[in-house]
Amino acid sequence: MNNCNCENCQLKSLFFENVAEKELGLLCSSRQERQYSKGDLMIEQGTEIRDFTYLKSGLVKLYKDLGNGHHQIIKFARPFDFVNLLSIFSEKTYRYSVAALEDSSVCYVSIDLVKELIHRNGNFAFDLLQKMSRITDDLINTTLEIGRKNLRGRIAYVLLYFANSVYNKPEFDLPVSRKEIAELIEMTTENVIRILSEFRKDGIIKIYGKRIEIENIKMLEQIAQFG
Amino acid sequence: MNNCNCENCQLKSLFFENVAEKELGLLCSSRQERQYSKGDLMIEQGTEIRDFTYLKSGLVKLYKDLGNGHHQIIKFARPFDFVNLLSIFSEKTYRYSVAALEDSSVCYVSIDLVKELIHRNGNFAFDLLQKMSRITDDLINTTLEIGRKNLRGRIAYVLLYFANSVYNKPEFDLPVSRKEIAELIEMTTENVIRILSEFRKDGIIKIYGKRIEIENIKMLEQIAQFG
DNA sequence: CGCGGCTTTGATGTTCATCAAGTAAAGTGG
DNA sequence: CCACTTTACTTGATGAACATCAAAGCCGCG
């Protein structure tokens, strides 16, 4: 177990609840942790999948490179939320990229080791299945839901996501550009700006550059739901 | 093993490749098979998840009931393609419904038995993980891809799906209504009809009610790709 | 035979993308 | 550190894409 501290990691419960002490030691000693600064590319689409990765702290975006210089953001993710389960067991190479939106730290465990553990430890395997099931189910639901909303509803949804799920308060600095919001919810940058301005004029939010202050959260929820 | 015939089933390779003979016997004897007619509801959103199910023959649609009398179709599926993996390991109740688009037969295996097997048999567990990974990855990719296309591109996509992936020929009877196509690709019934008519006028397809004959598949592929 | 759901077409209006043009902010090299 | 360049942000004008509304024919089914 040498200088390994997984035993006390908050995130241990995420995956390794059912891993015996001996096995945890194995995972832990092979584990690597890396730091990324805001804007850094963490995983590049098309490269070989070698590791099972999960976010320890920070905020990231998963996105597809569409080739023509455009990106399509699949989702934003935080610790306990980003776990690289999307296609790592079915593909040889990544079908999307991951980049840091805020300073982040990430743990790496060799994917071969994880595969070995799946074969050996049924409880671990079942845990992983459950997690994968939940993550992909949520992603599919969210994607379908956003697709049904009009543009105002989509912007309201994004603002509420940051307020409720990321920063837990109605005032926050947007960690993403207007363009990135557009890439997440399938609309143009101009319309993101236009609708934010509309919300400002309607007294629903205040805007100071990246800073957003939600004034009327009820109204925003209405728009998100029925928009 | 009594009157059990899973041993020779084509679909055995789908899941039970790595299941020992003894275990397969257990699965097989608890297995149930049911027949459904076109239009039948097979799984109802909100009901308890008791079984692991997979399609032996036929064609089905997975959809969400949006409450206001509207449906949102998640995807169509065929044998080898529909396996109920989407949320069965993370939820207690179904978050979507499944209905038969053509006469179909479906196998049921108790989900508790499957869970037991996952815990006991790492190879089986890994197989399932891979399958789930592939299915959900494809679904996410398809959903995002369709969202980027304009209406003509989406219709072209659906026609090519039936021609290439379901019937394997350029002439076929649509197993779905215009309304159901609209529910799959997020548009109105009127526009589905309008665009089909446009394709007819442009000499790309012929239409006789439900029957579609693709005349110019190259053109359709162009529209699907760049539309 | 009549009723309801499916299909079709047209007319109309709304929503949204595109184009254009300018300001502010942020990174870059001397 | 400042001039320069690039990138992000903002607003308005315009047109295209798409939804909605309306009306009528068709088909299957009780």
Side-chain angles (χ1 to χ4, degrees):
Chain A
M1 278 255 188
N2 49 28
N3 60 346
C4 179
N5 60 351
C6 295
E7 191 59 57
N8 303 313
C9 175
Q10 286 186 349
L11 286 162
K12 182 189 143 191
S13 64
L14 239 185
F15 299 106
F16 308 128
E17 195 70 85
N18 290 302
V19 172
E21 205 175 314
K22 195 179 66 182
E23 288 170 332
L24 187 64
L26 195 64
L27 279 170
C28 206
S29 57
S30 85
R31 178 186 69 92
Q32 284 187 32
E33 188 169 340
R34 283 179 226 163
Q35 310 299 324
Y36 292 95
S37 302
K38 183 182 172 118
D40 287 352
L41 185 62
M42 288 164 38
I43 288 174
E44 188 179 1
Q45 188 173 323
T47 59
E48 190 189 351
I49 300 175
R50 294 170 192 269
D51 300 291
F52 173 85
T53 57
Y54 54 93
L55 190 62
K56 267 193 84 173
S57 68
L59 184 71
V60 301
K61 64 172 175 179
L62 279 66
Y63 64 97
K64 284 184 166 289
D65 194 323
L66 302 178
N68 46 5
H70 290 174
H71 293 170
Q72 178 166 32
I73 296 179
I74 301 167
K75 69 172 209 157
F76 301 137
R78 297 163 305 128
F80 290 91
D81 188 24
F82 170 60
V83 183
N84 206 351
L85 280 173
L86 272 192
S87 49
I88 58 167
F89 294 118
S90 61
E91 302 290 329
K92 290 263 176 244
T93 58
Y94 286 106
R95 295 174 81 170
Y96 51 88
S97 295
V98 181
L101 294 174
E102 295 179 346
D103 294 352
S104 300
S105 73
V106 176
C107 278
Y108 291 76
V109 178
S110 152
I111 194 156
D112 291 329
L113 188 56
V114 173
K115 285 181 182 173
E116 215 182 296
L117 214 54
I118 291 168
H119 281 96
R120 225 176 32 223
N121 183 336
N123 292 328
F124 175 69
F126 187 70
D127 238 40
L128 220 50
L129 262 171
Q130 270 192 318
K131 253 132 209 160
M132 187 151 132
S133 185
R134 187 163 300 119
I135 288 171
T136 56
D137 195 43
D138 284 349
L139 179 55
I140 289 162
N141 279 314
T142 307
T143 306
L144 293 177
E145 201 182 323
I146 288 180
R148 291 195 299 269
K149 295 186 195 303
N150 66 17
L151 297 197
R152 288 172 63 89
R154 292 182 204 179
I155 294 290
Y157 171 89
V158 170
L159 294 178
L160 289 170
Y161 167 75
F162 282 117
N164 296 333
S165 301
V166 179
Y167 299 111
N168 299 310
K169 49 187 173 184
E171 302 92 23
F172 52 87
D173 288 341
L174 276 175
V176 292
S177 67
R178 316 294 199 243
K179 190 179 163 206
E180 284 170 316
I181 293 177
E183 287 170 348
L184 174 70
I185 57 185
E186 291 278 351
M187 55 194 282
T188 59
T189 308
E190 291 97 319
N191 278 330
V192 172
I193 292 161
R194 230 184 291 275
I195 288 164
L196 284 173
S197 299
E198 279 178 35
F199 286 177
R200 179 173 40 74
K201 284 172 198 153
D202 295 345
I204 300 171
I205 58 173
K206 286 188 177 173
I207 308 176
Y208 310 98
K210 293 280 192 193
R211 180 143 197 94
I212 300 286
E213 295 177 15
I214 298 177
E215 304 269 279
N216 189 339
I217 200 160
K218 292 281 172 222
M219 181 76 80
L220 213 52
E221 283 163 355
Q222 290 282 317
I223 294 170
Q225 191 174 0
F226 300 107
Chain B
M1 277 257 192
N2 50 28
N3 60 346
C4 179
N5 60 349
C6 294
E7 191 59 56
N8 303 313
C9 176
Q10 286 186 348
L11 286 162
K12 182 189 142 192
S13 64
L14 239 185
F15 298 106
F16 307 129
E17 195 70 83
N18 290 303
V19 172
E21 204 175 316
K22 195 180 67 184
E23 288 170 330
L24 186 65
L26 195 65
L27 279 169
C28 206
S29 56
S30 85
R31 179 186 68 92
Q32 284 187 32
E33 190 169 338
R34 284 180 225 162
Q35 309 298 324
Y36 293 94
S37 302
K38 183 180 172 119
D40 286 352
L41 186 62
M42 288 164 39
I43 289 174
E44 188 178 2
Q45 188 173 323
T47 60
E48 190 189 351
I49 300 175
R50 293 169 192 271
D51 300 291
F52 173 85
T53 56
Y54 53 94
L55 190 62
K56 267 192 83 174
S57 67
L59 184 71
V60 301
K61 63 171 175 180
L62 279 66
Y63 63 97
K64 285 184 165 289
D65 194 323
L66 302 178
N68 47 4
H70 290 175
H71 292 171
Q72 178 166 31
I73 295 180
I74 301 167
K75 68 172 210 158
F76 301 137
R78 296 164 305 128
F80 290 91
D81 188 24
F82 171 60
V83 184
N84 206 351
L85 280 175
L86 272 193
S87 49
I88 58 167
F89 294 119
S90 61
E91 301 292 327
K92 291 262 176 248
T93 58
Y94 285 106
R95 295 174 80 170
Y96 52 88
S97 295
V98 181
L101 293 174
E102 294 179 348
D103 293 352
S104 299
S105 73
V106 176
C107 278
Y108 290 76
V109 177
S110 153
I111 194 158
D112 291 329
L113 188 56
V114 173
K115 285 181 182 174
E116 216 181 295
L117 214 53
I118 292 168
H119 280 96
R120 228 177 29 226
N121 184 336
N123 293 328
F124 175 69
F126 188 71
D127 237 41
L128 264 187
L129 262 170
Q130 270 193 316
K131 253 134 208 157
M132 188 151 130
S133 184
R134 187 163 300 119
I135 288 171
T136 56
D137 195 44
D138 284 349
L139 179 55
I140 289 162
N141 280 314
T142 307
T143 306
L144 293 177
E145 201 182 321
I146 287 180
R148 291 195 300 268
K149 295 186 195 303
N150 66 18
L151 297 197
R152 288 172 62 91
R154 292 182 204 179
I155 294 290
Y157 171 88
V158 170
L159 294 177
L160 289 170
Y161 167 76
F162 283 117
N164 296 332
S165 300
V166 179
Y167 299 110
N168 298 311
K169 49 186 173 184
E171 303 92 23
F172 53 85
D173 289 342
L174 277 175
V176 292
S177 68
R178 314 296 199 240
K179 191 179 164 207
E180 283 171 315
I181 293 177
E183 287 170 347
L184 175 69
I185 56 184
E186 291 278 353
M187 55 194 282
T188 59
T189 308
E190 292 96 320
N191 277 330
V192 173
I193 292 159
R194 231 184 289 277
I195 287 165
L196 284 173
S197 298
E198 280 177 35
F199 285 177
R200 179 172 40 73
K201 283 171 199 155
D202 295 346
I204 300 171
I205 59 172
K206 287 188 176 174
I207 308 175
Y208 311 98
K210 292 281 190 193
R211 181 144 195 91
I212 301 286
E213 295 177 15
I214 297 176
E215 304 268 279
N216 189 339
I217 200 160
K218 291 281 172 221
M219 182 76 79
L220 213 52
E221 283 163 355
Q222 289 283 317
I223 295 170
Q225 191 174 0
F226 299 107

